[in-house]
Amino acid sequence: MSSDANSATGGSTNSNNNNNNVDIFETRCQSQFLQSKIGTTYESIRNSFREAVEKRNSSKIQTCLQNLTYYKIEKDLLDSLLSVVSITDDKKVLRLAYYFLVELSQYKNQINSSADIKNITTIFSKEMTNKDISRKVVSLKTTAILAPNDPLVDANMLEVISGILRKAGEDPDKTQKKKGFFSKPSDLGRERALLQYACFVACRNRFKNNPSLFIPIVEGIKCADPVGARHAVALTYDYAHENLSTVTDTTKRFLPLLKANKGKEAVSLTDPFARRSFISLCGYIALTGTNQAQTKDFFQNICQSVMDNHLSVSMWAITTLCKFTWKTLESSIIESIIIDNDTPNHYDTLPNQTALIAGICNKLKLGFNIHGDRSTQQSFPYINMSCKLISALSRSYVKHSYPTTTTSGDGGNAPAVGNWQEQEKSVTGSINHPFSVLTSFVMSQLPSPSISIRIQALRALIWLCPSTLCPASRVFQDTFRAQLRDSTHPPHLLKELYVELYRRVIATPVLSPMVLSLIYDWIDIVPHKVDTSLVAMIWKTIIHFGREGRERVLQSIFNILDRSIHPDFRVVSMEIQKDIVQFLGDHANTITYETVASTTPSKPLNAIILRLEQYATFQPWQIRMTSIDSLAKIAFLSSTRVKIHIYNFLTTVPNDSHGWTSVKSNNSIIISILDQLLTLRGKWLPLLTQLSGTQKTELVQDHKKLTTQVGMFIDNASLIDYLPLGIETKALVK
């Protein structure tokens, strides 16, 4: 016990003096169990390590460093660790020393002593003259993250990095024969590639977007080391955000799939991650560049990358293409690529051409077929990605092909929301969906044991559905309905399904009847898995699709309220009914076009009021409370005739049911507000033609008072143009 206590507190005095709020166990202990096994404290190991460094005892240095791995070291060991690097050639000791130097990089901002900075610079310069290439590599990478932002260190490192990168074409030092301890280079060219790789890593950690290194870094895309090329491409991508035109001009000659570069400077990137980064670079240039002739070449390079022999690279290319418009993708073509698994060649093409969409479909089929075993719970990444890409591409196609108007709030094209029957006739090519060949592949994933794959498959199917109510779309509707009966589907999976249906109905309002039918099924089949807030959001969206949308929403709501309820779902169905009653109160006036200026209540509004009055009389007190609130909202926003009717009902509503005590208080407040509305309206309307200044002030005060009281029941956003005393008062109170 005492040993553990000592190990937790030993050597912490200086740290606590600097910061009393430091958690000792957080800063000191890496593993108390392992510390108890070595039977020594941090302070004793630190002292032994310093003593061993002074005496240059290599074996004891190694033992101390190994014991220090059980602790979180502090900045005061910096000098000792740098000394170890300078005095030893033992590869195990050097590994440990550099490991701890990387750990000390967290104190980078605290290294401000000129002696420490000079020491770091001296050791770095010494390491860069060592004949062992691997020591140079690790020193470059470590110093880049360890050394503070000091002009002396930066200048020294920039000189070294620039010298290495600019000598990329020169012969390496032929006198170097010693193998490194971090790698086993097979030849001297490999050693040069390792140095270039280390420079690129150091630049990513320390010298991003440095103008003096721009040219050598862009040229580094041709680095012989595949990982080095990966870092060079990533750095070039960063440079593109600073100087797009220069990067475009420089990298165009490297495009591996551009015919003009064949046999010249075209780069064959053997590392899949490097190719993916290069595709991202091409995508950024193609999307943001202004020179169409050049951006076209970069876009074509992305298209050709769809045929890459590495599936992850193909998927990355397709993901990048999702950022372009459907019109651009639809008209693009690609050429077949010669595939050589032994020596990958990514720019030799065959003369036969194919449509880009067809090539994408073939790759996505491969993504579904790459995994044969469906018996495990594993989420297969390529299947998951294929479903996501089908969803994204189909969404782009649907939004492009669906008839639009030009009245959207953002100035772009908005989906047409006029006569749905006419729209069904005008939607061309909807049944011949370009990705319909993938429908069977997506549907085969619905029984998958992975929930994430099922979710992605359902999302993809929603966008594969034709943009018209036809037999083909009804097949999709039956598929979605069947998912509601699957007891293995958790509630969040069904919520994801209806969120995507919400997005689809925004893009293609003509599918509103199908979505409304599926909402009815959701509430009827699995009410305990229903998210009523999402249902209300979908209804609210369809309401704004015009008169037909409002009529269909109201009819769907009435159908839901009139359905028979299974006894097992009585309680949850009552909660859903309460939410629907609240929705009717919030949107009844919008659905029925009823305003304070209306002369005669519409039949739909009468139907809503009659239902709410029925619920306010015969339902349990929770439903009664919500129904009365909904009637109040309708009365506040409707004409005087509706106000009088609802006022009379609320004053005569039966009060002998269970729970009336809870309803009575709320009902009294509503009756009081309606009484004021009717009384003040009768007072002011005859006087509006000849009001004195005092009377106008009193009218404004009455208007504000009533608006405040009504605001307790109605969202303030709905009261911006609210005129409780009638439309006639608008000129006086606004």
Side-chain angles (χ1 to χ4, degrees), residues 129-141:
T129 61
N130 197 295
K131 292 184 178 181
D132 192 332
I133 297 293
S134 57
R135 291 188 66 163
K136 295 181 180 180
V137 169
V138 179
S139 180
L140 262 172
K141 294 164 60 178

Side-chain angles (χ1 to χ4, degrees), residues 538-553:
I538 298 175
W539 282 340
K540 185 177 179 181
T541 300
I542 298 177
I543 285 172
H544 290 90
F545 289 165
R547 182 176 294 276
E548 187 174 359
R550 300 180 185 195
E551 292 175 354
R552 287 182 181 269
V553 168

Side-chain angles (χ1 to χ4, degrees), residues 69-108:
T69 57
Y70 303 138
Y71 298 89
K72 189 172 183 179
I73 65 171
E74 293 183 344
K75 188 177 78 69
D76 57 359
L77 288 181
L78 176 63
D79 291 339
S80 299
L81 290 170
L82 291 174
S83 298
V84 171
V85 173
S86 65
I87 65 177
T88 186
D89 290 326
D90 186 283
K91 61 182 182 180
K92 293 182 179 179
V93 175
L94 284 169
R95 279 185 183 139
L96 289 167
Y98 274 113
Y99 164 78
F100 283 114
L101 287 173
V102 172
E103 289 292 306
L104 287 178
S105 63
Q106 62 183 308
Y107 301 109
K108 176 179 178 178

Side-chain angles (χ1 to χ4, degrees), residues 395-524:
R395 185 186 302 114
S396 178
Y397 163 74
V398 166
K399 291 181 178 180
H400 171 78
S401 62
Y402 192 80
T404 59
T405 62
T406 55
T407 58
S408 63
D410 58 0
N413 291 335
V417 293
N419 187 289
W420 293 343
Q421 285 74 20
E422 294 298 325
Q423 289 176 18
E424 287 189 39
K425 299 177 183 178
S426 64
V427 175
T428 58
S430 295
I431 299 178
N432 299 321
H433 198 291
F435 298 103
S436 59
V437 294
L438 300 172
T439 303
S440 59
F441 291 91
V442 178
M443 285 190 173
S444 66
Q445 304 306 317
L446 294 179
S448 172
S450 171
I451 293 177
S452 63
I453 287 182
R454 277 183 272 168
I455 291 175
Q456 297 303 331
L458 287 171
R459 286 176 174 173
L461 286 175
I462 288 170
W463 291 100
L464 286 171
C465 179
S467 298
T468 179
L469 296 175
C470 61
S473 62
R474 292 188 181 93
V475 173
F476 286 86
Q477 181 177 346
D478 293 339
T479 301
F480 300 142
R481 182 182 292 113
Q483 301 307 305
L484 300 174
R485 302 185 185 277
D486 191 335
S487 60
T488 63
H489 290 333
H492 74 268
L493 183 146
L494 298 181
K495 182 177 179 180
E496 292 289 344
L497 168 64
Y498 282 87
V499 166
E500 204 66 25
L501 284 171
Y502 166 70
R503 298 189 181 112
R504 179 64 197 268
V505 79
I506 291 176
T508 53
V510 73
L511 293 181
S512 296
M514 182 185 79
V515 175
L516 291 173
S517 177
L518 288 171
I519 289 176
Y520 177 91
D521 295 329
W522 192 16
I523 295 175
D524 185 53

Side-chain angles (χ1 to χ4, degrees), residues 642-707:
V642 175
K643 285 184 175 70
I644 294 173
H645 172 81
I646 294 177
Y647 175 80
N648 291 332
F649 170 78
L650 294 178
T651 55
T652 59
V653 64
N655 56 10
D656 54 352
S657 64
H658 174 69
W660 173 250
T661 304
S662 302
V663 181
K664 180 179 179 181
S665 175
N666 193 49
N667 189 49
S668 300
I669 295 173
I670 295 171
I671 291 174
S672 174
I673 297 174
L674 285 174
D675 185 59
Q676 293 180 63
L677 279 169
L678 295 172
T679 302
L680 290 174
R681 179 175 172 83
K683 169 187 175 182
W684 287 111
L685 287 184
L687 304 175
L688 291 179
T689 56
Q690 46 182 3
L691 289 176
S692 64
T694 304
Q695 288 176 320
K696 289 182 180 180
T697 303
E698 185 180 354
L699 173 65
V700 172
Q701 291 176 350
D702 287 340
H703 167 82
K704 292 181 179 179
K705 176 183 176 182
L706 290 173
T707 304

